[in-house]
Amino acid sequence: MNRKIVSVLLAVVMLLGVLTGCSKTTGMTKDKFVKACEKLKLTELEIDEMDEIEENVEDGFYFSGDEDLIADKSKIIDKFLKLAKLSKVFDSGDIVSISFASKCSGYEDLKDLEDPEDAELDGAFAFQMNFGQKDKVEDFMDGVESLLKKVKIRTKKLTPKEYYVSKDEGYCRLHFDLAKLGQMILDDDDLLDALKDGYGEDIEDILESLNGDIALSIEIKGSNVFILAGGSVNTESKVYKDFAKAFGLASDPMKLPMNEEVAEDMTELIVSYVKYLSMARDAKRTITNVIGGISGGDPNGDPNGDPNGDPGKTPNTGISGLGKVGISLPTKDLMRWYEDGSKMKEEFETLGYTVDLQYAGNDTATQVAQITNMINSGCQVLIIAAIEASSLKDVLEKAESKDIPIIAYDRILFETDTVDYYVTFDNYKVGQIQAEYIVNALDLNNAKGPFNIEITAGDPSDIASAFFYQGAMDVLAPYFDSGKLRTVSGQKDFSDVVTDAWKTSEAQTRAENIIAAYYQGGTQINAWLCSNDSTALGVVNALDKFYKGATYPVVTGQDCDLSNVKLIIAGKQAMSVFKDTRILASQAVKMASQILSGQDVEVNDTQTYNNGKKVVPTYACDPIFVTFDNYKTILIDSGYYTQEQLGL
Ligand code: BGC
């Protein structure tokens, strides 16, 4: 239902845009309107007998189909929905009654406009549906919210006068800036040419003369939904006041102060729609189809055509779900990121999205430049694994100002409001799993100890490093406290054990220094807690080169990179936490497509991931660990690696 309602609203907005932008040829005259309504068997209201809603409508034309009249509900309502071009998206079965109203003198005037300066839009187009059930109306408001997301308007941009939602009532009022709309079309040569083909040279004058704004108001009262759209040039127009009053609206929606930002967004939206229509193979026919749809014309736009005619194919607005996604990942060098990126790209493309996938070579400036480019090139959602979250502050704000939603991928974006969602494996748990493995492998609960352990953590700029470290240290703390565990090097604090950019070479150099300084003369290393595989590789290299102890340490890792799985098979690394990139990538793709199609975004944690500014709604996947005993099942049988890749 939600999706349908979203589409309904979208259709209304779009129709409104077309009516306004191209009003010269709408053909929305009184006669046609009345004829269309009669053909639909809608009844002109008997003003005297009607309740106050209709009594107030004097200047406009108001038709309704109530329960009796629409005994054969589906037929009548479907006809109406067809007329309004909504039949494919609205479930008529949910509607108990429906009314349709229009004040069209403004459009009529425009039709015979001699001097564009005289353009005076004072038309209103309204319909009211009664769902009979309040929960349908709640669905409807959900739909409104989804629509706003879909057209990239966040409700926080709207003042309480423009947007309010509660369980049983709500409203939303949006404005479009007509002058900007006209200008945007005028500035676009292709679009203008296409419109001229359809409407003649004087469309330019019409566009230049547009001013004021048009507004869309959606009001909920009980189980009634009332949608009113109209131009604000003539704000004194009686029909607006009447509708507003009749429906008990707080105030005339046309008179609300315009929200510039929202007006701009809506204007862009309309322009992209008009563009779509205009660029269609037969611009004139396509546009006329839509107008025909609303005015009761046939698919070929015959203004006197059959109102029951097929209103034509719902135009693809380019915002109906598919779009462009920007993916910014730290580096291609590490196998996991390469896999994450390829997997997401493949899935997005299969779904029909365009993807801009960039790896930043672990360089923050490069990442900023790449994301800037994604924003400028029209990406509609960004998926980011930050190299250093703090250096992205400005570029994230830029994305926010363009209302581009941001998903933090694997690494949370810290100290910023400009992140919408987080998709990750539970990073704290990764550390816990590594440490628990060590606890079991050394049998710390029973063995006497003391055992020697060294620690290699990740890049301090990567916020995930702290989570891995802390998860592990919280598990190991009691054993350090009781003296069962100790670091001979004395390097235990996070700042002492970090590895710049997660580099294998850095981890190796530090490990070599530790071995040379503290583990000569037979001192044994029992465990080496490494936060990930690239650092584990450095540690294993150092052990290979310089470690002479009788016991080989339990080395942990994370990612199941190919070379590290080979180390597991060779007995040099004990375990690696497996964060199946297929799962994470799929979840990110799901999240982004839910955002882009205006659906609710699936998250499973709305409490844990406080980034210092806000709790980021998160989908956290569960990591597992891989050892020599289970790598075949987990990695080969699941198709993650082939035997050949692992040299088997
Ligand atoms: C990721 C790890 C990865 C590390 C180095 C972390 O943010 O969670 O999986 O090994 O970055 O790229």
Side-chain angles (χ1 to χ4, degrees):
M1 181 71 178
N2 286 357
R3 290 187 68 165
K4 285 180 187 164
I5 289 180
V6 165
S7 309
V8 169
L9 299 181
L10 196 60
V12 171
V13 173
M14 294 310 179
L15 290 168
L16 188 63
V18 172
L19 273 176
T20 306
C22 318
S23 43
K24 186 174 181 239
T25 52
T26 59
M28 188 68 164
T29 63
K30 174 184 172 181
D31 285 350
K32 266 178 257 164
F33 179 82
V34 172
K35 204 170 138 199
C37 289
E38 281 171 357
K39 278 207 178 180
L40 285 172
K41 297 202 177 63
L42 289 167
T43 316
E44 188 167 5
L45 294 174
E46 304 281 334
I47 301 286
D48 296 348
E49 291 170 20
M50 291 297 150
D51 62 22
E52 61 172 296
I53 294 179
E54 293 88 12
E55 270 169 27
N56 290 296
V57 182
E58 286 163 16
D59 292 346
F61 310 99
Y62 199 67
F63 289 81
S64 91
D66 63 17
E67 253 171 314
D68 290 340
L69 181 81
I70 52 176
D72 186 359
K73 212 189 306 178
S74 57
K75 251 195 203 157
I76 300 282
I77 294 182
D78 281 347
K79 277 180 188 172
F80 164 75
L81 296 177
K82 245 184 181 180
L83 175 76
K85 256 194 80 58
L86 306 175
S87 56
K88 293 203 178 73
V89 291
F90 207 86
D91 189 348
S92 59
D94 289 329
I95 306 171
V96 175
S97 71
I98 192 156
S99 307
F100 182 46
S102 178
K103 164 84 169 84
C104 35
S105 61
Y107 300 121
E108 222 169 347
D109 293 347
L110 267 174
K111 194 166 172 270
D112 305 315
L113 199 68
E114 290 199 349
D115 182 351
E117 294 282 305
D118 298 339
E120 237 191 280
L121 302 174
D122 72 346
F125 170 80
F127 67 93
Q128 176 207 338
M129 296 169 281
N130 191 303
F131 287 104
Q133 287 168 30
K134 277 192 178 172
D135 60 341
K136 295 287 177 225
V137 171
E138 285 169 31
D139 281 354
F140 190 93
M141 279 317 281
D142 282 351
V144 172
E145 280 194 86
S146 304
L147 170 73
L148 293 177
K149 274 192 212 149
K150 195 172 188 171
V151 298
K152 294 191 264 155
I153 289 175
R154 300 194 188 175
T155 45
K156 73 178 179 207
K157 271 190 177 178
L158 302 170
T159 68
K161 279 189 169 174
E162 293 163 314
Y163 181 74
Y164 165 78
V165 61
S166 77
K167 239 170 175 299
D168 330 314
E169 62 179 314
Y171 56 75
C172 181
R173 297 174 189 125
L174 303 172
H175 293 251
F176 315 80
D177 184 326
L178 281 177
K180 279 194 184 131
L181 174 67
Q183 201 50 53
M184 284 172 84
I185 299 173
L186 285 167
D187 288 345
D188 189 318
D189 290 345
D190 289 342
L191 183 52
L192 191 60
D193 286 349
L195 283 180
K196 277 183 187 165
D197 280 354
Y199 297 96
E201 290 291 323
D202 57 357
I203 185 73
E204 216 168 318
D205 294 333
I206 300 254
L207 291 169
E208 265 164 19
S209 73
L210 293 177
N211 59 30
D213 63 312
I214 51 174
L216 176 75
S217 167
I218 301 148
E219 303 283 337
I220 308 294
K221 279 265 163 180
S223 56
N224 269 310
V225 174
F226 184 78
I227 299 178
L228 172 66
S232 68
V233 174
N234 181 357
T235 47
E236 290 311 305
S237 168
K238 194 168 179 329
V239 70
Y240 301 146
K241 290 184 185 165
D242 289 341
F243 277 128
K245 192 170 154 213
F247 224 72
L249 307 188
S251 61
D252 181 342
M254 304 304 155
K255 282 188 171 169
L256 284 172
M258 172 154 34
N259 177 329
E260 288 280 346
E261 239 183 309
V262 172
E264 243 167 64
D265 289 342
M266 299 306 285
T267 304
E268 270 176 39
L269 184 69
I270 292 175
V271 168
S272 65
Y273 177 77
V274 172
K275 200 169 202 157
Y276 167 79
L277 292 175
S278 311
M279 294 305 165
R281 199 168 35 90
D282 179 348
K284 185 173 178 180
R285 184 178 153 189
T286 311
I287 291 177
T288 318
N289 275 354
V290 176
I291 294 160
I294 196 167
S295 63
D298 73 9
N300 296 320
D302 174 2
N304 300 312
D306 175 6
N308 304 332
D310 179 353
K313 229 173 130 221
T314 303
N316 177 359
T317 63
I319 56 158
S320 59
L322 306 185
K324 188 172 174 189
V325 180
I327 306 174
S328 166
L329 300 179
T331 172
K332 211 183 204 165
D333 296 344
L334 228 66
M335 189 168 177
R336 72 144 296 181
W337 296 118
Y338 178 77
E339 292 290 332
D340 291 51
S342 320
K343 180 77 191 152
M344 279 191 272
K345 187 165 171 9
E346 186 190 318
E347 278 199 31
F348 274 125
E349 287 178 348
T350 308
L351 291 172
Y353 291 91
T354 309
V355 177
D356 184 357
L357 166 65
Q358 300 292 338
Y359 294 93
N362 263 335
D363 180 58
T364 48
T366 307
Q367 187 165 43
V368 170
Q370 289 174 338
I371 297 175
T372 307
N373 212 22
M374 288 173 189
I375 295 171
N376 294 338
S377 69
C379 286
Q380 290 160 295
V381 64
L382 296 176
I383 298 177
I384 300 173
I387 296 164
E388 186 185 33
S390 58
S391 63
L392 298 184
K393 199 171 166 286
D394 289 349
V395 79
L396 293 183
E397 271 164 20
K398 186 165 186 211
E400 162 90 349
S401 74
K402 296 206 163 190
D403 253 327
I404 302 172
I406 293 163
I407 300 174
Y409 185 85
D410 191 90
R411 302 174 173 181
I412 197 165
L413 290 160
F414 218 61
E415 290 291 347
T416 177
D417 283 322
T418 53
V419 54
D420 297 270
Y421 296 99
Y422 180 36
V423 57
T424 187
F425 274 91
D426 185 335
N427 291 330
Y428 182 84
K429 197 163 179 183
V430 168
Q432 282 181 314
I433 291 175
Q434 292 167 334
E436 277 158 8
Y437 187 88
I438 291 174
V439 169
N440 289 330
L442 299 181
D443 196 16
L444 290 184
N445 290 325
N446 301 305
K448 257 182 137 184
F451 294 99
N452 298 334
I453 184 171
E454 293 298 332
I455 300 163
T456 296
D459 182 356
S461 312
D462 171 4
I463 190 66
S465 302
F467 282 99
F468 303 141
Y469 172 85
Q470 206 50 55
M473 292 312 267
D474 286 350
V475 172
L476 299 181
Y479 306 101
F480 278 115
D481 291 348
S482 69
K484 257 189 202 179
L485 274 185
R486 63 179 185 192
T487 48
V488 178
S489 70
Q491 297 170 19
K492 193 163 146 251
D493 289 348
F494 184 63
S495 56
D496 293 333
V497 298
V498 291
T499 312
D500 191 37
W502 295 92
K503 278 193 202 130
T504 300
S505 56
E506 288 243 350
Q508 182 168 340
T509 307
R510 181 170 161 267
E512 285 176 2
N513 291 339
I514 289 175
I515 296 167
Y518 304 101
Y519 292 94
Q520 298 305 315
T523 313
Q524 298 195 11
I525 312 172
N526 302 103
W528 203 306
L529 172 77
C530 297
S531 284
N532 87 331
D533 280 355
S534 61
T535 53
L537 186 59
V539 167
V540 168
N541 289 344
L543 290 169
D544 276 354
K545 262 171 113 177
F546 297 116
Y547 179 62
K548 302 276 183 297
T551 316
Y552 190 82
V554 175
V555 177
T556 65
Q558 163 186 197
D559 292 338
C560 287
D561 281 349
L562 196 54
S563 33
N564 295 73
V565 180
K566 286 181 182 165
L567 290 181
I568 291 176
I569 296 170
K572 294 190 168 182
Q573 182 173 329
M575 62 85 81
S576 181
V577 175
F578 183 44
K579 302 192 301 186
D580 193 334
T581 46
R582 293 170 298 188
I583 295 177
L584 194 62
S586 293
Q587 199 59 44
V589 170
K590 195 169 175 189
M591 233 177 207
S593 47
Q594 281 169 337
I595 293 174
L596 286 174
S597 59
Q599 292 172 44
D600 290 342
V601 176
E602 188 185 349
V603 291
N604 61 7
D605 190 326
T606 50
Q607 284 174 354
T608 312
Y609 294 89
N610 189 325
N611 76 347
K613 280 275 163 88
K614 70 182 210 182
V615 177
V616 187
T618 297
Y619 195 98
C621 310
D622 261 342
I624 51 173
F625 67 87
V626 162
T627 63
F628 183 81
D629 294 336
N630 66 10
Y631 80 89
K632 282 193 175 137
T633 328
I634 296 180
L635 300 177
I636 300 178
D637 295 354
S638 77
Y640 197 74
Y641 289 134
T642 60
Q643 301 220 15
E644 293 70 42
Q645 280 175 303
L646 292 171
L648 298 171

